[in-house]
Structures are given as structure tokens and as C-alpha cells.
Amino acid sequence: MSVNQQAHTGPPYGQPQPGYQGYQQPAYGGQPLPGVPQSQYGAYNGPMPGYQQPVPPQGYFPSLGFPSKGSPVSLNSDTSSLAPNFIGSLRAPPTSGAPPPASGASLPSGHLAYSQFGHGDVQNGIPASAAPMQRPPASQLFLPGSAPTPVSQTATFQQYGPPPASVQQLSNHMAGMTIGSTTASAPPPAGLGYGPPTSVPPVSGSFSATGSGLYTPYTASQGPSPTSVSQGLPLAQPLFPGQPMSTQRLPTQVPGFAPPPSSAGIGPSSYPPSTGAPRPPTMPGPPLPGQTVAGPPTSQPNHVSSPPPPSTMSGPHAGPPMSGLHGPPPPTHLPQPGYQMQQNGSFGQVRGPQPNYGGAYPGTPNYGSQPGPAPPPKRLDPDSIPSPQLNELPPQQKPRHRIDPDAIPSPIQVIEDDRSNRGSEPFVTGVRGQVPPLVTTNFLVKDQGNASPRYIRCTSYNIPCTSDMAKQSQVPLAAVIKPLATLPPEETLPYLVDHGESGPVRCNRCKAYMCPFMQFIEGGRRFQCCFCSCVTEVPPHYFQHLDHTGKRVDFYDRPELSLGSYEFLATVDYCKNNKFPSPPAFIFMIDVSYNAVKSGLVKLICEELKSLLDYLPREGNMEESAIRVGFVTYNKVLHFYNVKSSLAQPQMMVVSDVADMFVPLLDGFLVNVNESRTVIASLLDQIPEMFADTRETETVFAPVIQAGLEALKAAECAGKLFIFHTSLPIAEAPGKLKNRDDKKLINTDKEKTLFQPQTSFYNNLAKDCVAQGCCVDLFLFPNQYLDVATLGVVTYQTGGSIYKYAYFQLETDQDRFLNDLRRDVQKEVGFDAVMRVRTSTGIRATDFFGAFYMSNTTDVEMAGLDCDKTITVEFKHDDKLSEDSGALLQCALLYTSCAGQRRLRIHNLSLNCCTQLADLYRNCETDTLINYLAKYAYRGVLSSPVKTVRDALINQCAQILACYRKNCASPSSAGQLILPECMKLLPVYLNCVLKSDVLQPGPEVTTDDRAYIRQLVTSMDVAETNVFFYPRLLPLTKADVDSDSLPAAIRNSEERLSKGDIYLLENGLNMFVWVGVNVQQGLIQNLFGVSSFSQISNALSTLPVLENPFSKKVRSIVDMLQVQRSRYMKLIIVKQEDKLEMLFRHFLVEDKSLSGGASYVDFLCHMHKEIRQLLS
């Protein structure tokens, strides 16, 4: 999508962009600006004239959000039409005073406007205009102050918004867009060019106020057109790194426009002059002709209007930061347009303020900028990206160009578009290779033969027929599988099929299970396997006649023939030692060392367990749970408790020989809760008292797991250990650890050792646990380094979960811990699980990511697998695939239910295969791709330096996008960044992964935090990684107190925040409520129960319960979000300009991060530069 573009709601991108062409960018290609080093790329004179663009293909239905088969991703950009998804081409500045011809000569009038559903060949790219556009001579001078005169063009393209008053408006709209403004978007500090810009205020004038209705449909031809970001990029220049390109829609505004001048000035609160000098008047030059200021009047609604903080940008000039170039231009110089990205080629007129986007937040502190002289405003220039060599340049010398953040793909827009296009209809799984709605869309699934996307999501639903094509595209072929996913109440759980003693019907050769894709032949007497083509006899009891279409007559009566997901009851052959399993057991193991007792933790756990034991998981129709429970406490020694129902009081047995662990009692250790209720209650009352005066500070850890394992072995059952642990196990015992935390290793080749276990002892222990079906869930309460990388090994390899509560305090953390514990104890779990993924001939599963153990290359073994865990599987070609037969995968999970029943859960999925790269790129799912890439990178840090891992990620994504550009987009200038429609958010999301604590930690991130996050992400599903890497930011003050809906989300950037509003940000682990300094007193009173901003307490961990509509609405939003996440999020109240604000800012992922991460805009530029290098 074009960076200048607005993301669109559904219609294809790609109207021709008139008027993008003539931008004179000073310093771009033509004359070098004084003091700016010459760029290594020559002048860019615009896209080559004369590429004919074919007509748009048919088949793009706006309502779908992605093209139907056959619709191209059209990105053709040509001179006349810029690629839809691009940022904009750069132009050389005219060298003579004559105004350059407007960009691209006027479109011939014969150029038809594309209708919404065009026809024609499938072509990727924006349709070119019929006549070649002229480019302005490269040599005209760009006189400061002279605005290029736009040439008027006929407006034959469709616009997004109201049509520009005239095309020319566009041109200057584009060309002079920000004229008059101090910067339309604030220049980010030049800091690491690769980091998020500090903040670019949204130009609110350019958003339209309406939601997705804003753009007119693109032509059909465009299919989703690629996002091309062109104009604004200097040739080489990277697109903005800071901005996410995304699949999401751009903010509603139309990217195609630069902010109107008025808005550029961003109202009163517009950005500070770069140095402290007074700002020149907002309109330094005359407005361009034709440029209508359609946006709101200068003062934007949500602008923060406090005086801007001193900006860190310094630079030679004291004038307004120019959004375009930088250098010492006199104030009269018009700022160049921050290149707006074109929104698929059409720019409508500037819109009013965008809904729910606050105006620019002028007060953005520029954190993260370079030390030393403040950098000049950023331009989008390749050189501005800190490639290593450039970093040595003094900041002032790097030329920069500003890209309008509203012009680059917006995750919010893409999410909204998908919701409006695909949220109303059920997703019916009967068709092969359908791309499901995004994980952020609420939709109903109807299983008609393929597994629901709640169980399996793929990186692409149309996979290359050959390995060469797969290597060329570099798109990883992977599936994120969540075999026991929880379904919403309105969807049916998988049916349980019982075939009696003979068990499930399977292929004789590959052992695949009966599924809807098996072909019955010879009147139903035999079936041909859809995975290996072997023919197998149908067992007599399973025989059924075929109807006239070759389907069995009982097709609809058998889940395994008509549904994508179902379960089989397993026979004794599927059980360990050919013996049906016993119901599992839960063992609670509580650290009773000094820290645990003193913090109140021991008492809290014991109190909670008294009631929680009534909620152990049970099969649907059972009166009570079949799970038995046991209790152990420990410090340097272990205490086992006999809670047999016949005892009057519990008995304690101490094992002090921790080097040779054994369980001192068999009978009475694991008991039924109902039978032993009084003894258990008595024990839980006594434990806190028994250890109230303990002075023991040291703990053991490995012996605790060994004790639980031995108890389960003795009881001959699988089960789960719930271990509550507080400190590094330094007491003399097996598995003893030392404090090896060393911040000096960060960014060295030895950094990887911080993620590796310090001893192999725990790996061997994990292997024993998996063999027994002993899953370990770990609740950690550290006050200092605990070595999560080592303690977490057993949890991770047994399929368990880790929960971490650093500096645990009863008042603030008890809610979060108790909610997590309740959910962890109650959730559905399969024990002693083995999963295998079978594929049809041509591809095979080669790599697996997640919390499990593998003893061979095909079987994923987990002592426990719960409803939140995913296993990510990567596939590689081992032969050719055919477009006709497609590709199939079948995931089979063998597990023991919580009632002790052995079952097989089967999920089947059929995918299309393609011989054209365009089909691959049209059917990818960016959220799943990012989930896979994050897991791949997070595993990579175990064996490679972090920098190597980061570079490999950037390189792979650049290759994916370069392959698209080279093979699927129509020829266009290298100055354009063209992104496939369904991958337009890849840059923004990838940048979020690169900036995450694991790959780029800030100074405050501990080694334990990084190891914890690394393990957590490895088994997250797609919805969790989506919000974890790109948090959800909601303006609470915009919430409608009378409706149940959430307020519309806004983009993650400081400039979107207004001082007069309250926002909620959540990422699945944390939740922040940010309160602006100018929030009305009435709102503060209604939400916090205090009369002024200064009285709001940071110590609140829950919002006070107040009887007023606003308080009820906000609390209901918080509760709604907590329910959606698998962990209870800690609520943190952040007051603007408070010390906690630094923590909050870390989650504003479109901005530059303190740890040096790029802003979205800068990263986009960097990616563009990488892509260009690959293409050249």
C-alpha cells in the first residue's frame, strides 16, 4: 500500500496516482543541499515513463479485504500511477527557477477511471496511465519559496476521500503538502535512524473522520494492491522505519495526502522548532495553488497544546523543522512534503481529523535521540538510516526526509477494515485454501471439512508448488497449531467418535487417520489415502455404500468424513504399557523459606487452595473431578503430608536427604478432595503457622521436581506439579545454581549463554518428567536474579507454564497471582501427550517450536498440553506439489483427558498450491508470519549473537518483499517501496519484534525478564503475539458509556496521545491506564474518586468501584480485556510526565525506543534500502 496511502477498507488498491510525480525534493538527487553529504544514489527522476499498465483484473471484492483468486496484487506503478502502496517516488529538485511540471503530466483524458470492479488481465501493480507521464527535467532549480506550479491533471482516478479539488491540488498537495507547517510530522530525532522516531504527530488534519468508509474502492484490478511506498522515499531510502506497514489498515486517514497545510502546523501545539528558535509563521510560503486546506482549522482538536518540550533536534538551522529537507534553509523555504505515502494511488482531499486519533502530541519528549547535538529533523533518506557506516557521521550531516506517519500502512486501519469486511459473515471452512479473517476480528466458524483457524493458522494458504519457488520467495511455510484451543460458546466442540475395540480407521502405510479428504473406491470397499496414495481395505464394520457422486451415504453422520476437527476414543493399543491410564494428579509444592513466609505468600496460597480445590477440571458430565491432589512444602528440605481421609489431623514427613529423593509415603499422599476435605483444610490452616517463625532463607529446586515425579511414578499416573518458588536454589543439592547474571555480556558473542541453562541437569530431569507425563507449572516470586533460563527448562520441555511476579507485594499483586492460579488449575489440559503432523506428498514437517520435548524427528511429546499452548510447525518441500491436488496436513494429538480417558484429537487442513508467486503473496497471513518469525528468532538467540539474529530477520523480510517487488509488481521506479497487500504490515510488526526485550533490551530489562519472555512467546498463539508485539491502545474518554463496545483503538505512538484524555494500553501481560495532565477534573473524580490530577495514586492496582457511568464503563472494558487474555494483566496507573511514563512509552512501538529500536517510519526506510540493495 502506498505509504502515502491510506489503508483501505476493502477495495483494491491502486488507482493511478496522479500528481505524485513532480515532487521536488531538495536534496534529493538533484543539487545537493549545502552541507549535506551527497547521497550514493543518483538523482531520481521519477518512475520511468512509458510502462504500459494493464487493466485491472477482475475479482477483487472489496468486501473481502483480499482478492479473490485471480486478483492480482496490483501494484503497478508507473509514472502516471504510483504504486498503490508506495511511499512515493523521490524527485530531483528542479534546478532552474521554472516550476517543474506537475508531477507527471496531466493524465490523458482517455485514462479511464477504474471502476470498482475492473476487468482485464491480472496484473500486479497499479494500472499505468495510458500515456507516459513526463518527468520534470531534472535540472530545475528549486527556489526556496517558490512552490512548484502544479500542472493540472484531469482527475480520472478514484479517490479515497472526497475528490481533491483538482488534481493539481494533489500534486501540490503532495508536493507542498506540508507547506506551511512547521513539520507536519514532527521530525523524529535523528537518533538511531533505525529507531522509532520520537514521535510524529499525526497530522490530524489529514485523517478523515470516518472509519473505513473512506476510500473509494480501488479498482478491481488492483486486487489488493501492494502497498507501495514511494514518493517519499529517496531512492535508496528506507521507508520509514518507524511506521508499521501493515496489514492493518492505515489509519483512517488517507495516506495519500500530506497533511493540509493547516494541519501541518498542527495547531497550536505543533512541533517545536528544531532548535529553540522561534517558529516562523506557520505558512512559510504561499499555499500551493489548488491546495485546499480541507482539514480542520489549524487548531486540531486533540492537540495537546502545551508548549512543546525543547526539541532535541538541533541542526544548523533555527527555522522550523522542515518536514522535508533539512539543512539550513531559510525559513521561507517551503518544507518538502513529508512524503506522503500514496494511498493506493489516489489521494482524496485532506480529511478532517481522524476519528479517535488524538492530534499530535507536541510534548513528546524525544527520547532515544542521539547524544550530542540534537539531530536535525528527519528526512526520509537512505542515508538517514543508521547503517553502520552512517552512524559515524555527525548527526547534523545526515540528510533526512520526513515521511508522514499517517501515510504509511496502519495496523489499526487494517484491523478495522477486516472487522468491517469479514466480521459479520461466518467463516465456513468447506473451501480449500481460504485465508481466514484476522485474529483481531470476531467471527463465527462453521466447520465443513477443514479445521477452524482457532486450531490451525498458516503463514500462507497457497503454497509454492516447488522448493525453488519457495526458496525464491523466502516466505516460510509454517502452521501455528493450538490443538486444544477453547472455542466460543456458540461453536460446537469436536465430536468424540468411538469405533469400539478396533479403534480409528487408518491408512495402512502412513497411518494417517480417516478424514474428509480420503477417497473411497470400488463401491466403498477400499479407500485411497490422501496423504500417501496407498489403497487400504475398509474394515467390514466400517463399510458403507457410495452415492452417485462417490461420497459415502453416511457422509454427514460421521464427523471424521465431514468435519475438519474431531476426536477418536483411543483403544488400549494407544496407551503406555498397553494399560488404560489412571486419572491424573495435581501436586502443590510450596516454598516456605523466609522470603515466601514474610511476604504473606504462603498464607495467601493456602487460603486460596481451600476453595480452589473445588474447581479442579472435570469431564463435562461428571459430578466431581477425578483428579487427586497432594501437598509438599520445602526450603532446604522437603516436607510431605499424609492427608488420608481416615486421619483426624494431617501428618508431616520430612526428607532431608535431598541428594537421593524418594517419597516417604504412598498411601495418603494423593487423595480425592471430597473424601479428605477436612484433613486438607486443617493442613492448609496449619502450614502458615508452622513456618511463621522460619529463619531459613536457602532453597532447593531440582529435588522438589524429583519428589513430584517419584510420587506420580509410584501412583502410576500422569499429572501436574504446581511449584511456588521464590529464590535462586543455592542450597547444597542436585541442580544447585550459582548467580551468573552478567549485564556485560549483552551485545557480545557470549550473550547467548544468558538464555541457555547453566547445567544440563535440568534437561535430563525434564526428559524423565516427559516419560512419566509429569508436567511442571512454575510460579516465581523473585526479588533478585533467579535464573529463569535454567529453572524454566523443565517447565518448558514438559509443556508447562511459567508465571513470574517480580518483587511480589500482597496489596498490588495478589489479584493477578490468584487469577492466574485459578485459571491455571481450572483450564483444560491433556496429559502424556504426543503430537504428530502428517502431510501429503511433496512437503513434510521439518521443524517445531513450542514448549515440548522431542526424542525423535517426528513426535512432539508433552507431559501436559493445555488449551493456551501452541506448537508451530515449519514445512519444507521434498518433492513437487500439484495445483490440482493442493497440499494437506493432519495434526493428530494423542492425550489423556482429565478423567483419565485416552483420546486422539485430529485436525485436518487443505491448502492450495501455486505456480505463480503472486498467488502465494495474495494468500499470506502476516500475523501468523510474525508469530513464526518471532519464535524462530527467539530460538536463534540460544545459539547465535543477538545481532546476527536481528540481521537475519531483517534480511529474510527484505528478501520476501524484494521477491514480490521483482516478480509480482509491475515495473516502477526504485524510489517506491511496494508492499504486497496482505503483507503491508510486515515492516511495522517486524520492527516490533526487533525492538522486543529479547532482541533489544533496554537497560532496565533483567536477564530473567528476557528468558521469561523468550519462553512465553515460544508457545503463544497468533492472537497473543499480535497484541504482545503491537499493543492495543484505547482512548477511554471516547468510550460510549451506553454501549457494550470498546472505543476504536488508535496507533501506538506518543503523538496520538492528547493531554486531555485517558488511554488504556494492553499487550496481554501488562495493562496501563495513562492519564493526561489536562484531563477534566470531573473525569478524574468519576474514575479515581479524587478531585485532582495530583491526587491520583500510582499505587492503585485496581480501579476504585464508583457508582457512575464512566467508572462502570471503564471497569467493564478492563474486565472484558482481562477475560480475553490467557494471563491476568497487571494494571498500572501512569500519570503523564511521571516517572512511570518511561515504562509506558516502551509499549508505544511506532516510536523510537530508549534501547535504540527504530521508529516505524525509520524502519520502513531501512527496509526499503535493504530491498533496493537486494534488487540492485
Side-chain angles (χ1 to χ4, degrees):
M1 81 184 311
S2 120
V3 180
N4 286 337
Q5 222 154 265
Q6 178 127 336
H8 72 295
T9 17
Y13 288 128
Q15 265 40 284
Q17 317 262 113
Y20 224 42
Q21 260 74 276
Y23 284 48
Q24 291 15 69
Q25 308 303 49
Y28 247 132
Q31 284 21 63
L33 289 186
V36 176
Q38 184 88 45
S39 136
Q40 67 210 75
Y41 303 93
Y44 170 71
N45 287 322
M48 295 295 303
Y51 281 126
Q52 274 318 99
Q53 309 206 251
V55 201
Q58 309 155 304
Y60 182 89
F61 298 94
S63 56
L64 294 179
F66 44 43
S68 56
K69 179 147 172 73
S71 66
V73 178
S74 57
L75 296 184
N76 236 339
S77 63
D78 213 274
T79 37
S80 64
S81 50
L82 287 185
N85 289 331
F86 41 105
I87 291 205
S89 46
L90 312 180
R91 277 352 200 53
T95 31
S96 70
S103 61
S106 47
L107 292 179
S109 38
H111 193 62
L112 298 176
Y114 294 133
S115 68
Q116 171 164 358
F117 298 100
H119 305 273
D121 356 25
V122 177
Q123 147 107 61
N124 293 322
I126 297 182
S129 68
M133 309 284 278
Q134 312 159 230
R135 321 189 240 177
S139 57
Q140 313 173 180
L141 266 176
F142 184 82
L143 296 184
S146 63
T149 350
V151 174
S152 70
Q153 316 179 305
T154 41
T156 51
F157 40 90
Q158 305 199 269
Q159 357 310 83
Y160 282 112
S166 75
V167 179
Q168 67 194 56
Q169 191 180 312
L170 291 184
S171 29
N172 9 291
H173 211 136
M174 315 292 320
M177 211 36 183
T178 53
I179 294 221
S181 64
T182 28
T183 32
S185 17
L192 266 184
Y194 202 20
T198 50
S199 67
V200 185
V203 178
S204 40
S206 62
F207 298 75
S208 71
T210 56
S212 43
L214 345 139
Y215 346 102
T216 54
Y218 307 28
T219 41
S221 78
Q222 341 290 46
S225 65
T227 303
S228 92
V229 182
S230 135
Q231 285 279 217
L233 298 184
L235 298 188
Q237 106 212 353
L239 269 188
F240 329 171
Q243 217 74 9
M245 277 231 163
S246 66
T247 326
Q248 322 214 215
R249 328 143 171 238
L250 289 187
T252 35
Q253 70 242 33
V254 180
F257 328 144
S262 60
S263 65
I266 304 218
S269 57
S270 105
Y271 263 68
S274 344
T275 58
R279 274 207 302 252
T282 357
M283 273 282 211
L288 292 185
Q291 177 163 350
T292 53
V293 177
T298 2
S299 56
Q300 310 287 6
N302 282 330
H303 273 154
V304 188
S305 46
S306 61
S311 124
T312 43
M313 332 230 160
S314 69
H317 76 264
M322 303 284 186
S323 61
L325 49 165
H326 180 57
T332 43
H333 200 120
L334 297 182
Q336 275 321 102
Y339 292 100
Q340 317 303 38
M341 304 200 118
Q342 313 197 157
Q343 179 72 337
N344 288 330
S346 37
F347 340 153
Q349 74 194 32
V350 188
R351 312 315 188 110
Q354 174 124 341
N356 51 55
Y357 279 107
Y361 173 35
T364 350
N366 296 313
Y367 45 100
S369 49
Q370 321 245 86
K378 191 152 224 167
R379 315 185 178 161
L380 190 37
D381 182 53
D383 307 1
S384 61
I385 303 304
S387 46
Q389 347 40 304
L390 277 171
N391 273 343
E392 282 75 70
L393 285 175
Q396 306 84 310
Q397 300 175 5
K398 302 181 198 171
R400 319 242 121 170
H401 263 279
R402 277 285 333 139
I403 287 175
D404 172 11
D406 289 334
I408 55 186
S410 153
I412 305 304
Q413 187 71 44
V414 173
I415 289 171
E416 280 307 313
D417 287 342
D418 193 76
R419 279 187 186 141
S420 56
N421 293 333
R422 309 200 61 196
S424 50
E425 292 297 308
F427 177 68
V428 181
T429 70
V431 183
R432 182 175 85 188
Q434 282 185 105
V435 183
L438 298 181
V439 284
T440 43
T441 298
N442 275 328
F443 59 98
L444 196 65
V445 179
K446 290 197 172 159
D447 184 342
Q448 291 193 358
N450 281 292
S452 161
R454 302 189 205 289
Y455 294 123
I456 307 184
R457 277 188 177 263
C458 295
T459 51
S460 179
Y461 288 80
N462 200 333
I463 61 180
C465 283
T466 64
S467 60
D468 291 345
M469 193 171 152
K471 283 190 191 108
Q472 185 185 0
S473 73
Q474 287 288 312
V475 174
L477 304 177
V480 179
I481 306 175
K482 193 174 181 183
L484 299 179
T486 309
L487 299 183
E490 54 277 14
E491 291 178 21
T492 352
L493 292 171
Y495 290 98
L496 181 59
V497 179
D498 184 357
H499 282 314
E501 291 182 13
S502 58
V505 178
R506 305 177 68 178
C507 166
N508 274 342
R509 181 160 68 196
C510 71
K511 302 292 183 222
Y513 294 86
M514 180 53 66
C515 71
F517 313 120
M518 297 290 191
Q519 193 67 44
F520 286 89
I521 54 177
E522 297 176 23
R525 287 188 295 279
R526 309 170 92 188
F527 67 91
Q528 183 168 29
C529 178
C530 50
F531 295 95
C532 69
S533 303
C534 173
V535 174
T536 301
E537 292 282 333
V538 172
H541 70 89
Y542 197 70
F543 174 77
Q544 185 52 271
H545 295 287
L546 307 185
D547 66 13
H548 64 285
T549 63
K551 264 188 186 167
R552 283 175 50 126
V553 181
D554 60 354
F555 175 81
Y556 290 108
D557 303 330
R558 291 194 176 270
E560 73 275 20
L561 299 182
S562 53
L563 300 177
S565 302
Y566 41 88
E567 293 199 310
F568 289 120
L569 205 51
T571 58
V572 75
D573 308 332
Y574 293 87
C575 303
K576 259 189 203 156
N577 310 324
N578 279 357
K579 199 166 106 186
F580 281 113
S582 308
F586 282 0
I587 303 177
F588 297 91
M589 316 184 88
I590 307 167
D591 174 347
V592 288
S593 63
Y594 178 75
N595 277 343
V597 174
K598 184 190 66 171
S599 66
L601 182 63
V602 174
K603 187 165 175 27
L604 182 68
I605 293 168
C606 293
E607 280 303 313
E608 179 61 27
L609 287 179
K610 285 185 206 169
S611 56
L612 188 54
L613 296 177
D614 287 331
Y615 296 97
L616 297 178
R618 58 178 188 260
E619 291 293 339
N621 49 5
M622 294 174 57
E623 293 281 315
E624 61 176 51
S625 176
I627 294 173
R628 289 170 297 161
V629 298
F631 302 88
V632 172
T633 55
Y634 67 94
N635 39 45
K636 267 173 37 172
V637 297
L638 275 75
H639 322 106
F640 292 80
Y641 298 93
N642 183 345
V643 283
K644 197 171 174 180
S645 57
S646 55
L647 296 174
Q649 282 296 319
Q651 295 172 347
M652 173 192 207
M653 299 188 185
V654 180
V655 177
S656 51
D657 181 6
V658 290
D660 183 20
M661 187 43 63
F662 67 98
V663 178
L665 72 163
L666 291 179
D667 189 26
F669 179 62
L670 294 178
V671 298
N672 173 291
V673 176
N674 281 341
E675 291 170 12
S676 300
R677 182 174 299 280
T678 51
V679 194
I680 291 173
S682 169
L683 170 67
L684 294 172
D685 284 334
Q686 291 175 38
I687 288 174
E689 293 165 18
M690 279 191 285
F691 299 99
D693 302 323
T694 184
R695 286 280 164 269
E696 185 54 75
T697 56
E698 293 187 353
T699 56
V700 295
F701 184 70
V704 182
I705 296 175
Q706 288 172 320
L709 172 61
E710 292 304 320
L712 294 176
K713 274 185 182 164
E716 296 186 339
C717 68
K720 187 183 267 199
L721 312 183
F722 294 83
I723 302 179
F724 303 91
H725 189 78
T726 61
S727 58
L728 188 71
I730 53 174
E732 211 41 66
K736 171 185 173 180
L737 301 178
K738 58 180 193 291
N739 186 336
R740 54 163 186 164
D741 190 15
D742 188 356
K743 281 283 180 82
K744 293 196 289 295
L745 299 181
I746 292 179
N747 295 327
T748 67
D749 287 352
K750 290 194 175 161
E751 183 171 7
K752 58 180 182 248
T753 59
L754 298 174
F755 295 109
Q756 298 164 352
Q758 58 173 284
T759 158
S760 61
F761 182 87
Y762 288 94
N763 293 74
N764 298 327
L765 180 53
K767 187 174 167 183
D768 296 341
C769 287
V770 173
Q772 181 54 43
C774 170
C775 177
V776 179
D777 278 1
L778 192 51
F779 291 81
L780 298 173
F781 305 87
N783 287 330
Q784 55 202 24
Y785 180 69
L786 192 72
D787 204 348
V788 173
T790 306
L791 297 188
V793 167
V794 179
T795 297
Y796 184 67
Q797 295 192 13
T798 59
S801 305
I802 299 188
Y803 297 86
K804 180 165 158 291
Y805 310 89
Y807 308 108
F808 178 82
Q809 288 182 324
L810 216 54
E811 339 37 281
T812 55
D813 297 310
Q814 103 178 26
D815 276 354
R816 183 164 61 113
F817 162 57
L818 294 180
N819 275 287
D820 284 342
L821 176 60
R822 287 167 196 155
R823 189 162 192 280
D824 197 57
V825 167
Q826 297 172 41
K827 68 186 172 187
E828 182 187 358
V829 187
F831 293 94
D832 222 344
V834 183
M835 186 183 100
R836 182 176 284 193
V837 178
R838 293 179 173 81
T839 52
S840 53
T841 312
I843 52 170
R844 62 195 167 88
T846 54
D847 209 350
F848 301 85
F849 304 82
F852 52 74
Y853 173 76
M854 290 187 82
S855 54
N856 58 35
T857 56
T858 55
D859 296 335
V860 173
E861 300 173 51
M862 293 154 289
L865 172 68
D866 64 50
C867 56
D868 297 324
K869 297 282 187 303
T870 63
I871 293 93
T872 301
V873 186
E874 184 179 10
F875 302 97
K876 289 263 178 14
H877 287 77
D878 55 6
D879 203 346
K880 281 203 173 72
L881 293 165
S882 93
E883 282 190 281
D884 299 338
S885 53
L888 301 174
L889 27 145
Q890 182 179 78
C891 159
L893 175 77
L894 174 64
Y895 70 99
T896 300
S897 74
C898 56
Q901 198 176 50
R902 201 72 176 145
R903 296 180 176 184
L904 282 152
R905 179 167 289 200
I906 314 294
H907 297 297
N908 302 288
L909 187 62
S910 59
L911 302 173
N912 287 327
C913 297
C914 58
T915 52
Q916 299 297 317
L917 284 164
D919 290 328
L920 163 68
Y921 284 102
R922 199 175 288 132
N923 291 280
C924 288
E925 221 223 354
T926 301
D927 294 320
T928 309
L929 189 56
I930 288 292
N931 179 284
Y932 165 83
L933 291 171
K935 291 171 180 177
Y936 183 79
Y938 282 17
R939 184 177 67 183
V941 299
L942 292 172
S943 51
S944 310
V946 172
K947 182 176 187 318
T948 309
V949 173
R950 291 167 49 83
D951 292 346
L953 266 185
I954 293 171
N955 183 47
Q956 180 167 8
C957 289
Q959 287 190 316
I960 290 172
L961 298 174
C963 172
Y964 175 80
R965 173 66 187 261
K966 183 176 171 190
N967 301 288
C968 308
S970 47
S972 58
S973 91
Q976 296 173 338
L977 169 60
I978 301 188
L979 302 171
E981 175 56 23
C982 62
M983 285 189 188
K984 63 190 179 195
L985 298 185
L986 186 60
V988 62
Y989 286 165
L990 177 69
N991 188 37
C992 296
V993 173
L994 294 170
K995 288 157 66 169
S996 63
D997 292 339
V998 173
L999 300 182
Q1000 194 165 33
E1004 72 298 338
V1005 180
T1006 66
T1007 304
D1008 275 345
D1009 286 334
R1010 298 176 74 198
Y1012 172 62
I1013 295 296
R1014 196 190 77 77
Q1015 291 203 11
L1016 217 53
V1017 168
T1018 308
S1019 47
M1020 276 185 182
D1021 70 14
V1022 182
E1024 288 171 321
T1025 50
N1026 173 271
V1027 76
F1028 178 74
F1029 290 115
Y1030 192 92
R1032 176 148 61 159
L1033 181 58
L1034 306 173
L1036 295 178
T1037 26
K1038 304 272 192 302
D1040 177 357
V1041 294
D1042 301 320
S1043 88
D1044 295 336
S1045 60
L1046 292 174
I1050 60 172
R1051 291 171 64 174
N1052 281 267
S1053 171
E1054 188 160 24
E1055 67 195 18
R1056 308 283 174 182
L1057 305 179
S1058 149
K1059 294 187 175 183
D1061 288 322
I1062 300 175
Y1063 298 87
L1064 184 147
L1065 180 145
E1066 59 115 2
N1067 73 341
L1069 295 184
N1070 301 291
M1071 184 183 282
F1072 296 88
V1073 171
W1074 182 92
V1075 187
V1077 290
N1078 298 347
V1079 173
Q1080 294 169 8
Q1081 200 175 334
L1083 285 175
I1084 290 176
Q1085 182 71 52
N1086 284 343
L1087 189 56
F1088 299 103
V1090 295
S1091 56
S1092 69
F1093 177 82
S1094 57
Q1095 292 175 305
I1096 298 171
S1097 163
N1098 283 343
L1100 292 174
S1101 58
T1102 53
L1103 292 170
V1105 177
L1106 303 172
E1107 287 304 312
N1108 65 72
F1110 185 61
S1111 172
K1112 286 179 183 167
K1113 177 63 181 176
V1114 172
R1115 283 180 289 114
S1116 78
I1117 289 174
V1118 169
D1119 295 342
M1120 190 188 310
L1121 298 179
Q1122 293 287 19
V1123 170
Q1124 290 175 10
R1125 306 289 169 220
S1126 60
R1127 292 175 180 241
Y1128 195 83
M1129 295 178 279
K1130 179 175 187 172
L1131 179 68
I1132 300 169
I1133 308 293
V1134 178
K1135 293 155 70 176
Q1136 188 180 351
E1137 295 164 12
D1138 185 68
K1139 57 184 186 299
L1140 275 174
E1141 204 180 18
M1142 294 308 279
L1143 177 61
F1144 173 75
R1145 282 211 202 105
H1146 177 68
F1147 297 96
L1148 297 177
V1149 293
E1150 290 197 23
D1151 298 338
K1152 197 174 238 126
S1153 70
L1154 288 171
S1155 51
S1159 66
Y1160 176 17
V1161 174
D1162 292 342
F1163 184 68
L1164 204 47
C1165 298
H1166 181 77
M1167 284 300 290
H1168 188 217
K1169 184 169 143 191
E1170 294 283 321
I1171 291 166
R1172 299 190 40 167
Q1173 283 173 349
L1174 290 171
L1175 293 176
S1176 59

